[in-house]
Amino acid sequence: MTTADSTENIGTALAKGSAWMLGLRWAVRLIGLVNTYILVRLLNPTDFGIVAMAMIVVGLIEALADSGQKLLVIKHQSPQREDFDTAWTMSILIGLAVTVVILLLSPFTQIYFHEPRAVGAMQWLALRSLLSGFENTGVLNFRRDLRFDRYFAYLVASKLVSVPMTITAAIIFRDYRALLIGIVGAQAVTVAMSFIVSPYRPRLSLARLGEMWHFSIWSSIRSLGLSLNDQVDQLAVGGASGASAMGRYAVASDVGSLFTVEVLGPIIAVLFPVMASVQSDAAKMRSVYLNVFQWSAVICISTSVGVAICGNDIVDVLLGAKWIGAKPLIPFLALSAGILSMSSSVYSALDVTGRAKISAQLQWTRLICLSVAVFLVGFATRNPTHVAAARFVVTLALAPALFLIVARTVDFPVRTLLLSIWRPALAAVAMAAIVWTINLRLGGTGAIRLFVDAASGALAFCLVSLVLWRASGCPNTPERFVWNSIAAKFCPA
């Protein structure tokens, strides 16, 4: 097989895997949207805030114990039974340890949040941590073998079973307990499904513990940093402004990152196993990474700017009147999610190339900067919107350093990354200007204006992007794929 054929096969695997993962994320998200649409009308912001408080503490404890043993199995060129069994046994032991720590720390939660109901919520969520350790490591083969169709079926089936459970609980209890039942129930269903869809039956073993330990140390440190980075602003809002404000902030963060994360997330999920499969070939790794980054730039810039300018209508249509306080938060949180998601491929590249330590250091550098900003602003102003703005400023300021590091890691000029950004950035500016102009003339709010904004914004972004691409000499970038798709549809040979 020639180098060109091999590169084409890798590209095909990346495209197919991304397509399946994209389908997975959107299937799960659409199910989740129905779930959210119902829950925000049955429950109050305070209910979401109580669970968010508990989830932050639980998530941090779980992240500290995330040793990355499953990623190491995926990265391994030819893992044996001992590798799968050791990873499964480590997960069980970690789950047990996390459960004990959560139960011990739960009484202290109300000291910071001043919300006694968060204590019981944490204790209930400890069950999720216990269950998660038993997930069958055989499902890792779906990602190792790039069988994302099987992975798709596995996770969608779990979601389809767990969502009705949450809605039923919300109808019965009408408070935060419904969310807790849904979270724990979803984990139980996922574990059960992992044994149904995979014939592999793991056994207790620690035969590969020594080999996994070095990777695990830095993976744990990085995972904790990642979890804190995702939630430190919510932690500041919860401590400074209470459960109701934290509930609105948590939901606004979810809405702000909705389209960016759900479109790009599948591609990043595929990037790690695909890059791992060609880790011995630097040229192929560069090609795979650049392809992903180019698509990341288009997806992140278009979706984050789009959500930022349509945020008010999204709240009116999706959430309802009692969530109006989320409106000023969404633009800052959406733009932050776009920048952060665009740089998320950096960590996959560092992990695949054996630079887990650098990946961890980057996460913690960002965490220190972000923590100082959001806590100072949060407790000084008691205003969640100012916290969201602080998150955006820090995220934007640190992004160039990440791009510089990955350019050196994968070995291509920084100019290559800049050339991938400027066209979608200008197209997004044009999109925002057109949507704002239409809104000034159209007025009103609601579903009709949201539809008009989304349709006109998407059309404007695509047209401006294609014009700039043609003016740049038609390089081999995502715009070429769009152009060829249009040509094949309307001008078939």
Side-chain angles (χ1 to χ4, degrees):
M1 179 181 292
T2 65
T3 302
D5 291 335
S6 178
T7 301
E8 183 178 353
N9 288 338
I10 292 298
T12 300
L14 180 63
K16 288 182 177 179
S18 297
W20 275 111
M21 290 300 290
L22 183 61
L24 165 65
R25 291 293 285 263
W26 275 103
V28 171
R29 175 52 71 177
L30 287 174
I31 297 169
L33 278 176
V34 174
N35 187 44
T36 300
Y37 184 82
I38 296 172
L39 291 177
V40 295
R41 282 158 174 77
L42 293 173
L43 308 178
N44 294 311
T46 301
D47 295 317
F48 284 85
I50 291 168
V51 176
M53 289 173 176
M55 279 297 297
I56 281 182
V57 182
V58 171
L60 294 180
I61 298 171
E62 291 178 339
L64 182 60
D66 182 4
S67 61
Q69 67 274 12
K70 294 180 180 179
L71 283 180
L72 192 58
V73 172
I74 295 173
K75 183 176 181 292
H76 203 299
Q77 291 290 309
S78 54
Q80 304 300 311
R81 165 172 276 278
E82 289 83 359
D83 296 295
F84 287 92
D85 291 348
T86 300
W88 187 65
T89 305
M90 288 178 65
S91 296
I92 293 174
L93 295 175
I94 289 169
L96 288 168
V98 168
T99 300
V100 172
V101 173
I102 291 172
L103 293 175
L104 290 174
L105 294 181
S106 59
F108 299 98
T109 306
Q110 62 179 322
I111 296 175
Y112 177 75
F113 289 117
H114 309 293
E115 176 53 72
R117 288 171 292 182
V119 177
M122 268 190 70
Q123 293 168 346
W124 180 260
L125 290 173
L127 181 57
R128 184 192 77 153
S129 302
L130 180 64
L131 290 171
S132 65
F134 290 89
E135 185 176 358
N136 186 2
T137 49
V139 298
L140 297 177
N141 279 322
F142 297 160
R143 295 174 65 188
R144 283 200 72 258
D145 301 334
L146 308 182
R147 290 296 309 274
F148 293 101
D149 53 338
R150 302 284 301 277
Y151 195 61
F152 174 95
Y154 159 53
L155 290 185
V156 169
S158 300
K159 193 71 173 179
L160 284 171
V161 174
S162 63
V163 165
M165 186 187 312
T166 309
I167 295 174
T168 302
I171 294 173
I172 295 172
F173 294 107
R174 297 298 180 107
D175 63 19
Y176 67 95
R177 289 175 293 177
L179 299 174
L180 298 174
I181 291 171
I183 293 169
V184 175
Q187 187 62 65
V189 171
T190 298
V191 172
M193 288 298 301
S194 71
F195 284 90
I196 293 173
V197 301
S198 174
Y200 186 81
R201 293 296 177 262
R203 306 168 186 166
L204 293 175
S205 172
L206 291 174
R208 294 284 193 263
L209 181 61
E211 297 177 23
M212 293 184 174
W213 185 247
H214 179 73
F215 182 87
S216 297
I217 294 174
W218 290 110
S219 180
S220 297
I221 295 173
R222 191 203 62 177
S223 295
L224 179 60
L226 176 62
S227 182
L228 283 166
N229 273 307
D230 287 341
Q231 301 180 26
V232 68
D233 50 336
Q234 294 185 37
L235 193 62
V237 171
S241 305
S244 182
M246 187 173 180
R248 283 191 290 271
Y249 194 97
V251 171
S253 180
D254 190 41
V255 171
S257 62
L258 173 64
F259 297 99
T260 302
V261 173
E262 298 310 322
V263 175
L264 186 65
I267 300 176
I268 299 302
V270 173
L271 178 62
F272 184 86
V274 171
M275 287 189 72
S277 69
V278 295
Q279 57 188 291
S280 59
D281 190 322
K284 290 179 183 177
M285 283 188 60
R286 281 195 297 272
S287 176
V288 169
Y289 182 83
L290 184 58
N291 188 18
V292 168
F293 184 83
Q294 289 171 342
W295 277 103
S296 298
V298 172
I299 292 168
C300 291
I301 294 174
S302 62
T303 56
S304 62
V305 173
V307 171
I309 58 180
C310 297
N312 288 351
D313 292 329
I314 292 174
V315 171
D316 290 333
V317 174
L318 180 61
L319 303 182
K322 60 186 175 183
W323 294 90
I324 194 171
K327 286 185 177 181
L329 303 170
I330 289 179
F332 293 114
L333 294 173
L335 294 175
S336 297
I339 298 168
L340 190 59
S341 296
M342 189 164 61
S343 60
S344 60
S345 59
V346 172
Y347 302 105
S348 295
L350 290 171
D351 287 343
V352 170
T353 55
R355 294 173 171 85
K357 180 178 179 180
I358 297 176
S359 180
Q361 290 171 337
L362 288 174
Q363 286 286 4
W364 280 86
T365 299
R366 178 173 176 270
L367 173 62
I368 292 171
C369 297
L370 185 59
S371 298
V372 171
V374 298
F375 276 98
L376 285 177
V377 171
F379 281 90
T381 67
R382 309 282 177 174
N383 188 326
T385 303
H386 294 163
V387 175
R391 180 181 182 86
F392 167 68
V393 171
V394 172
T395 303
L396 179 63
L398 295 179
L402 291 175
F403 296 143
L404 178 62
I405 289 170
V406 78
R408 292 178 176 175
T409 298
V410 190
D411 192 22
F412 52 71
V414 177
R415 179 175 176 272
T416 305
L417 298 181
L418 296 177
L419 290 175
S420 301
I421 295 175
W422 76 270
R423 284 189 302 274
L426 288 180
V429 171
M431 173 180 68
I434 289 172
V435 171
W436 277 326
T437 301
I438 291 174
N439 284 342
L440 287 175
R441 295 186 175 277
L442 186 62
T445 58
I448 294 178
R449 195 174 85 164
L450 179 59
F451 175 78
V452 172
D453 286 350
S456 60
L459 180 61
F461 184 88
C462 290
L463 289 177
V464 174
S465 294
L466 290 174
V467 169
L468 294 173
W469 172 72
R470 295 282 292 181
S472 302
C474 305
N476 187 21
T477 56
E479 293 93 339
R480 178 181 289 277
F481 173 82
V482 175
W483 181 266
N484 290 342
S485 299
I486 294 173
K489 179 69 175 179
F490 297 101
C491 304

